[in-house]
PDB file of all heavy atoms in Angstrom:
ATOM      1  N   ALA A 107      -2.559  10.567 -24.004  1.00  0.00           N
ATOM      2  CA  ALA A 107      -3.458  10.750 -22.865  1.00  0.00           C
ATOM      3  C   ALA A 107      -4.076   9.443 -22.397  1.00  0.00           C
ATOM      4  O   ALA A 107      -4.701   9.401 -21.342  1.00  0.00           O
ATOM      5  CB  ALA A 107      -4.557  11.744 -23.220  1.00  0.00           C
ATOM      6  N   SER A 108      -3.914   8.373 -23.166  1.00  0.00           N
ATOM      7  CA  SER A 108      -4.434   7.071 -22.753  1.00  0.00           C
ATOM      8  C   SER A 108      -3.525   6.384 -21.741  1.00  0.00           C
ATOM      9  O   SER A 108      -3.794   5.246 -21.353  1.00  0.00           O
ATOM     10  CB  SER A 108      -4.600   6.169 -23.986  1.00  0.00           C
ATOM     11  OG  SER A 108      -3.336   5.894 -24.587  1.00  0.00           O
ATOM     12  N   MET A 109      -2.472   7.039 -21.293  1.00  0.00           N
ATOM     13  CA  MET A 109      -1.500   6.443 -20.378  1.00  0.00           C
ATOM     14  C   MET A 109      -2.128   5.794 -19.146  1.00  0.00           C
ATOM     15  O   MET A 109      -1.776   4.660 -18.793  1.00  0.00           O
ATOM     16  CB  MET A 109      -0.470   7.491 -19.958  1.00  0.00           C
ATOM     17  CG  MET A 109       0.532   7.005 -18.922  1.00  0.00           C
ATOM     18  SD  MET A 109       1.705   5.813 -19.586  1.00  0.00           S
ATOM     19  CE  MET A 109       2.745   6.914 -20.548  1.00  0.00           C
ATOM     20  N   PRO A 110      -3.073   6.452 -18.412  1.00  0.00           N
ATOM     21  CA  PRO A 110      -3.626   5.800 -17.219  1.00  0.00           C
ATOM     22  C   PRO A 110      -4.295   4.463 -17.526  1.00  0.00           C
ATOM     23  O   PRO A 110      -4.205   3.522 -16.722  1.00  0.00           O
ATOM     24  CB  PRO A 110      -4.649   6.827 -16.696  1.00  0.00           C
ATOM     25  CG  PRO A 110      -4.174   8.128 -17.229  1.00  0.00           C
ATOM     26  CD  PRO A 110      -3.590   7.822 -18.573  1.00  0.00           C
ATOM     27  N   ILE A 111      -4.965   4.378 -18.665  1.00  0.00           N
ATOM     28  CA  ILE A 111      -5.621   3.124 -19.034  1.00  0.00           C
ATOM     29  C   ILE A 111      -4.587   2.033 -19.267  1.00  0.00           C
ATOM     30  O   ILE A 111      -4.726   0.903 -18.792  1.00  0.00           O
ATOM     31  CB  ILE A 111      -6.489   3.322 -20.293  1.00  0.00           C
ATOM     32  CG1 ILE A 111      -7.552   4.400 -20.048  1.00  0.00           C
ATOM     33  CG2 ILE A 111      -7.136   2.008 -20.705  1.00  0.00           C
ATOM     34  CD1 ILE A 111      -8.487   4.093 -18.907  1.00  0.00           C
ATOM     35  N   TRP A 112      -3.515   2.353 -19.999  1.00  0.00           N
ATOM     36  CA  TRP A 112      -2.476   1.367 -20.262  1.00  0.00           C
ATOM     37  C   TRP A 112      -1.731   0.991 -18.982  1.00  0.00           C
ATOM     38  O   TRP A 112      -1.341  -0.159 -18.801  1.00  0.00           O
ATOM     39  CB  TRP A 112      -1.502   1.883 -21.314  1.00  0.00           C
ATOM     40  CG  TRP A 112      -2.121   2.072 -22.651  1.00  0.00           C
ATOM     41  CD1 TRP A 112      -2.333   3.243 -23.314  1.00  0.00           C
ATOM     42  CD2 TRP A 112      -2.649   1.045 -23.501  1.00  0.00           C
ATOM     43  NE1 TRP A 112      -2.956   3.016 -24.508  1.00  0.00           N
ATOM     44  CE2 TRP A 112      -3.165   1.681 -24.657  1.00  0.00           C
ATOM     45  CE3 TRP A 112      -2.740  -0.348 -23.394  1.00  0.00           C
ATOM     46  CZ2 TRP A 112      -3.759   0.964 -25.697  1.00  0.00           C
ATOM     47  CZ3 TRP A 112      -3.333  -1.057 -24.431  1.00  0.00           C
ATOM     48  CH2 TRP A 112      -3.826  -0.400 -25.559  1.00  0.00           C
ATOM     49  N   MET A 113      -1.546   1.969 -18.094  1.00  0.00           N
ATOM     50  CA  MET A 113      -0.879   1.687 -16.828  1.00  0.00           C
ATOM     51  C   MET A 113      -1.685   0.672 -16.024  1.00  0.00           C
ATOM     52  O   MET A 113      -1.129  -0.278 -15.455  1.00  0.00           O
ATOM     53  CB  MET A 113      -0.699   2.981 -16.031  1.00  0.00           C
ATOM     54  CG  MET A 113       0.303   2.887 -14.905  1.00  0.00           C
ATOM     55  SD  MET A 113       2.008   2.918 -15.464  1.00  0.00           S
ATOM     56  CE  MET A 113       2.205   4.641 -15.882  1.00  0.00           C
ATOM     57  N   GLN A 114      -2.992   0.871 -15.974  1.00  0.00           N
ATOM     58  CA  GLN A 114      -3.841  -0.050 -15.228  1.00  0.00           C
ATOM     59  C   GLN A 114      -3.900  -1.416 -15.911  1.00  0.00           C
ATOM     60  O   GLN A 114      -3.873  -2.453 -15.238  1.00  0.00           O
ATOM     61  CB  GLN A 114      -5.240   0.544 -15.096  1.00  0.00           C
ATOM     62  CG  GLN A 114      -5.290   1.790 -14.217  1.00  0.00           C
ATOM     63  CD  GLN A 114      -6.650   2.464 -14.225  1.00  0.00           C
ATOM     64  OE1 GLN A 114      -7.637   1.874 -14.644  1.00  0.00           O
ATOM     65  NE2 GLN A 114      -6.704   3.712 -13.788  1.00  0.00           N
ATOM     66  N   VAL A 125      -7.286  -3.215  -9.925  1.00  0.00           N
ATOM     67  CA  VAL A 125      -7.762  -1.926 -10.413  1.00  0.00           C
ATOM     68  C   VAL A 125      -9.103  -1.635  -9.746  1.00  0.00           C
ATOM     69  O   VAL A 125     -10.055  -2.398  -9.900  1.00  0.00           O
ATOM     70  CB  VAL A 125      -7.929  -1.922 -11.946  1.00  0.00           C
ATOM     71  CG1 VAL A 125      -8.470  -0.579 -12.413  1.00  0.00           C
ATOM     72  CG2 VAL A 125      -6.607  -2.236 -12.626  1.00  0.00           C
ATOM     73  N   SER A 126      -9.170  -0.555  -9.001  1.00  0.00           N
ATOM     74  CA  SER A 126     -10.387  -0.221  -8.270  1.00  0.00           C
ATOM     75  C   SER A 126     -11.305   0.663  -9.105  1.00  0.00           C
ATOM     76  O   SER A 126     -10.893   1.271 -10.104  1.00  0.00           O
ATOM     77  CB  SER A 126     -10.036   0.502  -6.968  1.00  0.00           C
ATOM     78  OG  SER A 126      -9.481   1.778  -7.243  1.00  0.00           O
ATOM     79  N   ARG A 127     -12.562   0.739  -8.697  1.00  0.00           N
ATOM     80  CA  ARG A 127     -13.503   1.618  -9.373  1.00  0.00           C
ATOM     81  C   ARG A 127     -13.074   3.078  -9.220  1.00  0.00           C
ATOM     82  O   ARG A 127     -13.279   3.894 -10.121  1.00  0.00           O
ATOM     83  CB  ARG A 127     -14.904   1.423  -8.791  1.00  0.00           C
ATOM     84  CG  ARG A 127     -15.508   0.050  -9.063  1.00  0.00           C
ATOM     85  CD  ARG A 127     -16.892  -0.056  -8.455  1.00  0.00           C
ATOM     86  NE  ARG A 127     -17.482  -1.374  -8.713  1.00  0.00           N
ATOM     87  CZ  ARG A 127     -18.677  -1.751  -8.257  1.00  0.00           C
ATOM     88  NH1 ARG A 127     -19.405  -0.889  -7.549  1.00  0.00           N
ATOM     89  NH2 ARG A 127     -19.142  -2.949  -8.524  1.00  0.00           N
ATOM     90  N   ARG A 128     -12.469   3.381  -8.092  1.00  0.00           N
ATOM     91  CA  ARG A 128     -12.012   4.748  -7.854  1.00  0.00           C
ATOM     92  C   ARG A 128     -10.935   5.133  -8.861  1.00  0.00           C
ATOM     93  O   ARG A 128     -10.907   6.248  -9.376  1.00  0.00           O
ATOM     94  CB  ARG A 128     -11.481   4.870  -6.420  1.00  0.00           C
ATOM     95  CG  ARG A 128     -11.137   6.294  -5.998  1.00  0.00           C
ATOM     96  CD  ARG A 128     -10.589   6.307  -4.582  1.00  0.00           C
ATOM     97  NE  ARG A 128     -11.576   5.815  -3.630  1.00  0.00           N
ATOM     98  CZ  ARG A 128     -12.483   6.587  -3.047  1.00  0.00           C
ATOM     99  NH1 ARG A 128     -12.544   7.875  -3.343  1.00  0.00           N
ATOM    100  NH2 ARG A 128     -13.335   6.087  -2.184  1.00  0.00           N
ATOM    101  N   GLN A 129     -10.028   4.199  -9.161  1.00  0.00           N
ATOM    102  CA  GLN A 129      -8.973   4.476 -10.129  1.00  0.00           C
ATOM    103  C   GLN A 129      -9.546   4.640 -11.537  1.00  0.00           C
ATOM    104  O   GLN A 129      -9.096   5.481 -12.319  1.00  0.00           O
ATOM    105  CB  GLN A 129      -7.930   3.364 -10.100  1.00  0.00           C
ATOM    106  CG  GLN A 129      -7.085   3.363  -8.836  1.00  0.00           C
ATOM    107  CD  GLN A 129      -6.177   2.157  -8.744  1.00  0.00           C
ATOM    108  OE1 GLN A 129      -6.472   1.090  -9.294  1.00  0.00           O
ATOM    109  NE2 GLN A 129      -5.068   2.307  -8.027  1.00  0.00           N
ATOM    110  N   LEU A 130     -10.553   3.825 -11.877  1.00  0.00           N
ATOM    111  CA  LEU A 130     -11.196   3.968 -13.184  1.00  0.00           C
ATOM    112  C   LEU A 130     -11.899   5.315 -13.305  1.00  0.00           C
ATOM    113  O   LEU A 130     -11.818   5.976 -14.350  1.00  0.00           O
ATOM    114  CB  LEU A 130     -12.193   2.828 -13.393  1.00  0.00           C
ATOM    115  CG  LEU A 130     -11.607   1.431 -13.630  1.00  0.00           C
ATOM    116  CD1 LEU A 130     -12.713   0.403 -13.707  1.00  0.00           C
ATOM    117  CD2 LEU A 130     -10.769   1.417 -14.901  1.00  0.00           C
ATOM    118  N   LEU A 131     -12.581   5.729 -12.235  1.00  0.00           N
ATOM    119  CA  LEU A 131     -13.243   7.035 -12.250  1.00  0.00           C
ATOM    120  C   LEU A 131     -12.219   8.152 -12.381  1.00  0.00           C
ATOM    121  O   LEU A 131     -12.423   9.118 -13.132  1.00  0.00           O
ATOM    122  CB  LEU A 131     -14.058   7.217 -10.961  1.00  0.00           C
ATOM    123  CG  LEU A 131     -14.753   8.581 -10.785  1.00  0.00           C
ATOM    124  CD1 LEU A 131     -15.712   8.846 -11.933  1.00  0.00           C
ATOM    125  CD2 LEU A 131     -15.477   8.639  -9.446  1.00  0.00           C
ATOM    126  N   GLY A 132     -11.110   8.039 -11.654  1.00  0.00           N
ATOM    127  CA  GLY A 132     -10.044   9.036 -11.762  1.00  0.00           C
ATOM    128  C   GLY A 132      -9.492   9.114 -13.166  1.00  0.00           C
ATOM    129  O   GLY A 132      -9.197  10.199 -13.672  1.00  0.00           O
ATOM    130  N   ALA A 133      -9.344   7.947 -13.832  1.00  0.00           N
ATOM    131  CA  ALA A 133      -8.839   7.926 -15.203  1.00  0.00           C
ATOM    132  C   ALA A 133      -9.784   8.663 -16.141  1.00  0.00           C
ATOM    133  O   ALA A 133      -9.357   9.444 -16.995  1.00  0.00           O
ATOM    134  CB  ALA A 133      -8.645   6.485 -15.665  1.00  0.00           C
ATOM    135  N   LEU A 134     -11.089   8.437 -15.979  1.00  0.00           N
ATOM    136  CA  LEU A 134     -12.069   9.090 -16.838  1.00  0.00           C
ATOM    137  C   LEU A 134     -12.067  10.601 -16.632  1.00  0.00           C
ATOM    138  O   LEU A 134     -12.129  11.376 -17.595  1.00  0.00           O
ATOM    139  CB  LEU A 134     -13.461   8.511 -16.570  1.00  0.00           C
ATOM    140  CG  LEU A 134     -13.685   7.063 -17.008  1.00  0.00           C
ATOM    141  CD1 LEU A 134     -15.073   6.583 -16.582  1.00  0.00           C
ATOM    142  CD2 LEU A 134     -13.511   6.928 -18.508  1.00  0.00           C
ATOM    143  N   LEU A 135     -11.986  11.045 -15.381  1.00  0.00           N
ATOM    144  CA  LEU A 135     -11.961  12.479 -15.093  1.00  0.00           C
ATOM    145  C   LEU A 135     -10.714  13.132 -15.681  1.00  0.00           C
ATOM    146  O   LEU A 135     -10.774  14.187 -16.307  1.00  0.00           O
ATOM    147  CB  LEU A 135     -12.003  12.707 -13.576  1.00  0.00           C
ATOM    148  CG  LEU A 135     -13.343  12.479 -12.881  1.00  0.00           C
ATOM    149  CD1 LEU A 135     -13.165  12.549 -11.368  1.00  0.00           C
ATOM    150  CD2 LEU A 135     -14.371  13.489 -13.347  1.00  0.00           C
ATOM    151  N   SER A 136      -9.571  12.485 -15.467  1.00  0.00           N
ATOM    152  CA  SER A 136      -8.309  13.051 -15.921  1.00  0.00           C
ATOM    153  C   SER A 136      -8.253  13.143 -17.442  1.00  0.00           C
ATOM    154  O   SER A 136      -7.864  14.167 -18.013  1.00  0.00           O
ATOM    155  CB  SER A 136      -7.140  12.200 -15.392  1.00  0.00           C
ATOM    156  OG  SER A 136      -5.907  12.797 -15.694  1.00  0.00           O
ATOM    157  N   ILE A 137      -8.657  12.075 -18.116  1.00  0.00           N
ATOM    158  CA  ILE A 137      -8.628  12.065 -19.575  1.00  0.00           C
ATOM    159  C   ILE A 137      -9.643  13.062 -20.137  1.00  0.00           C
ATOM    160  O   ILE A 137      -9.400  13.710 -21.163  1.00  0.00           O
ATOM    161  CB  ILE A 137      -8.895  10.647 -20.107  1.00  0.00           C
ATOM    162  CG1 ILE A 137      -7.700   9.739 -19.767  1.00  0.00           C
ATOM    163  CG2 ILE A 137      -9.120  10.660 -21.607  1.00  0.00           C
ATOM    164  CD1 ILE A 137      -7.885   8.304 -20.185  1.00  0.00           C
ATOM    165  N   SER A 138     -10.775  13.230 -19.449  1.00  0.00           N
ATOM    166  CA  SER A 138     -11.758  14.226 -19.890  1.00  0.00           C
ATOM    167  C   SER A 138     -11.160  15.623 -19.885  1.00  0.00           C
ATOM    168  O   SER A 138     -11.411  16.431 -20.789  1.00  0.00           O
ATOM    169  CB  SER A 138     -12.989  14.186 -18.980  1.00  0.00           C
ATOM    170  OG  SER A 138     -13.659  12.947 -19.086  1.00  0.00           O
ATOM    171  N   GLY A 139     -10.353  15.917 -18.867  1.00  0.00           N
ATOM    172  CA  GLY A 139      -9.695  17.217 -18.818  1.00  0.00           C
ATOM    173  C   GLY A 139      -8.726  17.408 -19.959  1.00  0.00           C
ATOM    174  O   GLY A 139      -8.649  18.492 -20.561  1.00  0.00           O
ATOM    175  N   VAL A 140      -7.989  16.358 -20.282  1.00  0.00           N
ATOM    176  CA  VAL A 140      -7.045  16.432 -21.395  1.00  0.00           C
ATOM    177  C   VAL A 140      -7.791  16.653 -22.710  1.00  0.00           C
ATOM    178  O   VAL A 140      -7.410  17.488 -23.545  1.00  0.00           O
ATOM    179  CB  VAL A 140      -6.201  15.142 -21.464  1.00  0.00           C
ATOM    180  CG1 VAL A 140      -5.339  15.130 -22.715  1.00  0.00           C
ATOM    181  CG2 VAL A 140      -5.319  15.022 -20.230  1.00  0.00           C
ATOM    182  N   LEU A 141      -8.871  15.902 -22.927  1.00  0.00           N
ATOM    183  CA  LEU A 141      -9.652  16.051 -24.155  1.00  0.00           C
ATOM    184  C   LEU A 141     -10.255  17.451 -24.266  1.00  0.00           C
ATOM    185  O   LEU A 141     -10.346  18.013 -25.361  1.00  0.00           O
ATOM    186  CB  LEU A 141     -10.753  14.999 -24.199  1.00  0.00           C
ATOM    187  CG  LEU A 141     -10.307  13.540 -24.254  1.00  0.00           C
ATOM    188  CD1 LEU A 141     -11.513  12.615 -24.298  1.00  0.00           C
ATOM    189  CD2 LEU A 141      -9.410  13.294 -25.461  1.00  0.00           C
ATOM    190  N   THR A 257       0.397   3.864 -10.894  1.00  0.00           N
ATOM    191  CA  THR A 257      -0.935   4.238 -11.371  1.00  0.00           C
ATOM    192  C   THR A 257      -1.252   5.687 -11.040  1.00  0.00           C
ATOM    193  O   THR A 257      -1.715   6.452 -11.890  1.00  0.00           O
ATOM    194  CB  THR A 257      -2.002   3.312 -10.761  1.00  0.00           C
ATOM    195  OG1 THR A 257      -1.734   1.958 -11.160  1.00  0.00           O
ATOM    196  CG2 THR A 257      -3.386   3.698 -11.241  1.00  0.00           C
ATOM    197  N   SER A 260       0.722   8.063 -13.121  1.00  0.00           N
ATOM    198  CA  SER A 260       0.283   8.194 -14.512  1.00  0.00           C
ATOM    199  C   SER A 260      -0.723   9.324 -14.681  1.00  0.00           C
ATOM    200  O   SER A 260      -0.800   9.937 -15.745  1.00  0.00           O
ATOM    201  CB  SER A 260      -0.319   6.872 -14.998  1.00  0.00           C
ATOM    202  OG  SER A 260      -1.563   6.624 -14.360  1.00  0.00           O
ATOM    203  N   PHE A 261      -1.509   9.630 -13.634  1.00  0.00           N
ATOM    204  CA  PHE A 261      -2.474  10.722 -13.740  1.00  0.00           C
ATOM    205  C   PHE A 261      -1.753  12.070 -13.832  1.00  0.00           C
ATOM    206  O   PHE A 261      -2.215  12.978 -14.508  1.00  0.00           O
ATOM    207  CB  PHE A 261      -3.430  10.697 -12.556  1.00  0.00           C
ATOM    208  CG  PHE A 261      -4.391   9.536 -12.596  1.00  0.00           C
ATOM    209  CD1 PHE A 261      -4.104   8.349 -11.963  1.00  0.00           C
ATOM    210  CD2 PHE A 261      -5.572   9.640 -13.302  1.00  0.00           C
ATOM    211  CE1 PHE A 261      -4.978   7.284 -12.014  1.00  0.00           C
ATOM    212  CE2 PHE A 261      -6.457   8.584 -13.358  1.00  0.00           C
ATOM    213  CZ  PHE A 261      -6.155   7.397 -12.711  1.00  0.00           C
ATOM    214  N   ASN A 264      -0.783  13.080 -17.243  1.00  0.00           N
ATOM    215  CA  ASN A 264      -1.789  13.738 -18.064  1.00  0.00           C
ATOM    216  C   ASN A 264      -1.694  15.252 -18.026  1.00  0.00           C
ATOM    217  O   ASN A 264      -2.373  15.942 -18.792  1.00  0.00           O
ATOM    218  CB  ASN A 264      -3.197  13.303 -17.637  1.00  0.00           C
ATOM    219  CG  ASN A 264      -3.676  12.097 -18.411  1.00  0.00           C
ATOM    220  OD1 ASN A 264      -3.069  11.709 -19.404  1.00  0.00           O
ATOM    221  ND2 ASN A 264      -4.751  11.495 -17.962  1.00  0.00           N
ATOM    222  N   LEU A 292     -10.473  19.246 -13.896  1.00  0.00           N
ATOM    223  CA  LEU A 292     -10.796  17.844 -14.154  1.00  0.00           C
ATOM    224  C   LEU A 292      -9.585  16.936 -13.932  1.00  0.00           C
ATOM    225  O   LEU A 292      -9.694  15.859 -13.343  1.00  0.00           O
ATOM    226  CB  LEU A 292     -11.316  17.686 -15.590  1.00  0.00           C
ATOM    227  CG  LEU A 292     -12.744  18.157 -15.852  1.00  0.00           C
ATOM    228  CD1 LEU A 292     -13.040  18.134 -17.350  1.00  0.00           C
ATOM    229  CD2 LEU A 292     -13.748  17.299 -15.102  1.00  0.00           C
ATOM    230  N   ILE A 293      -8.422  17.374 -14.411  1.00  0.00           N
ATOM    231  CA  ILE A 293      -7.220  16.566 -14.268  1.00  0.00           C
ATOM    232  C   ILE A 293      -6.835  16.426 -12.795  1.00  0.00           C
ATOM    233  O   ILE A 293      -6.510  15.336 -12.319  1.00  0.00           O
ATOM    234  CB  ILE A 293      -6.062  17.167 -15.085  1.00  0.00           C
ATOM    235  CG1 ILE A 293      -6.355  17.031 -16.578  1.00  0.00           C
ATOM    236  CG2 ILE A 293      -4.739  16.497 -14.743  1.00  0.00           C
ATOM    237  CD1 ILE A 293      -5.346  17.712 -17.472  1.00  0.00           C
ATOM    238  N   CYS A 295      -8.849  16.693 -10.243  1.00  0.00           N
ATOM    239  CA  CYS A 295      -9.857  15.844  -9.608  1.00  0.00           C
ATOM    240  C   CYS A 295      -9.571  14.370  -9.882  1.00  0.00           C
ATOM    241  O   CYS A 295      -9.740  13.518  -8.999  1.00  0.00           O
ATOM    242  CB  CYS A 295     -11.251  16.200 -10.127  1.00  0.00           C
ATOM    243  SG  CYS A 295     -11.914  17.747  -9.460  1.00  0.00           S
ATOM    244  N   GLY A 296      -9.138  14.067 -11.096  1.00  0.00           N
ATOM    245  CA  GLY A 296      -8.774  12.688 -11.414  1.00  0.00           C
ATOM    246  C   GLY A 296      -7.631  12.188 -10.566  1.00  0.00           C
ATOM    247  O   GLY A 296      -7.631  11.047 -10.103  1.00  0.00           O
ATOM    248  N   ILE A 297      -6.631  13.054 -10.353  1.00  0.00           N
ATOM    249  CA  ILE A 297      -5.486  12.683  -9.511  1.00  0.00           C
ATOM    250  C   ILE A 297      -5.937  12.446  -8.078  1.00  0.00           C
ATOM    251  O   ILE A 297      -5.569  11.451  -7.442  1.00  0.00           O
ATOM    252  CB  ILE A 297      -4.407  13.782  -9.566  1.00  0.00           C
ATOM    253  CG1 ILE A 297      -3.825  13.878 -10.983  1.00  0.00           C
ATOM    254  CG2 ILE A 297      -3.295  13.506  -8.561  1.00  0.00           C
ATOM    255  CD1 ILE A 297      -2.934  15.077 -11.191  1.00  0.00           C
ATOM    256  N   VAL A 298      -6.761  13.354  -7.560  1.00  0.00           N
ATOM    257  CA  VAL A 298      -7.216  13.242  -6.168  1.00  0.00           C
ATOM    258  C   VAL A 298      -8.086  12.006  -5.968  1.00  0.00           C
ATOM    259  O   VAL A 298      -7.889  11.236  -5.026  1.00  0.00           O
ATOM    260  CB  VAL A 298      -7.992  14.514  -5.759  1.00  0.00           C
ATOM    261  CG1 VAL A 298      -8.627  14.332  -4.388  1.00  0.00           C
ATOM    262  CG2 VAL A 298      -7.054  15.723  -5.752  1.00  0.00           C
ATOM    263  N   VAL A 299      -9.036  11.792  -6.870  1.00  0.00           N
ATOM    264  CA  VAL A 299      -9.938  10.649  -6.742  1.00  0.00           C
ATOM    265  C   VAL A 299      -9.171   9.326  -6.786  1.00  0.00           C
ATOM    266  O   VAL A 299      -9.463   8.399  -6.030  1.00  0.00           O
ATOM    267  CB  VAL A 299     -10.997  10.681  -7.858  1.00  0.00           C
ATOM    268  CG1 VAL A 299     -11.771   9.350  -7.929  1.00  0.00           C
ATOM    269  CG2 VAL A 299     -11.971  11.824  -7.622  1.00  0.00           C
ATOM    270  N   SER A 300      -8.176   9.236  -7.645  1.00  0.00           N
ATOM    271  CA  SER A 300      -7.436   7.983  -7.793  1.00  0.00           C
ATOM    272  C   SER A 300      -6.493   7.720  -6.631  1.00  0.00           C
ATOM    273  O   SER A 300      -6.124   6.577  -6.377  1.00  0.00           O
ATOM    274  CB  SER A 300      -6.632   7.999  -9.091  1.00  0.00           C
ATOM    275  OG  SER A 300      -5.600   8.985  -9.033  1.00  0.00           O
ATOM    276  N   SER A 301      -6.078   8.766  -5.919  1.00  0.00           N
ATOM    277  CA  SER A 301      -5.056   8.600  -4.886  1.00  0.00           C
ATOM    278  C   SER A 301      -5.613   8.587  -3.468  1.00  0.00           C
ATOM    279  O   SER A 301      -4.919   8.152  -2.551  1.00  0.00           O
ATOM    280  CB  SER A 301      -4.018   9.721  -4.998  1.00  0.00           C
ATOM    281  OG  SER A 301      -4.625  10.992  -4.829  1.00  0.00           O
TER     282      SER A 301
END
Side-chain angles (χ1 to χ4, degrees):
S108 64
M109 176 71 74
I111 301 301
W112 295 113
M113 196 76 75
Q114 293 173 16
V125 178
S126 67
R127 294 180 180 178
R128 187 181 298 272
Q129 289 173 333
L130 289 176
L131 177 59
L134 291 175
L135 286 172
S136 186
I137 291 177
S138 296
V140 173
L141 297 180
T257 299
S260 70
F261 290 93
N264 269 348
L292 284 171
I293 292 174
C295 285
I297 295 170
V298 172
V299 168
S300 66
S301 60

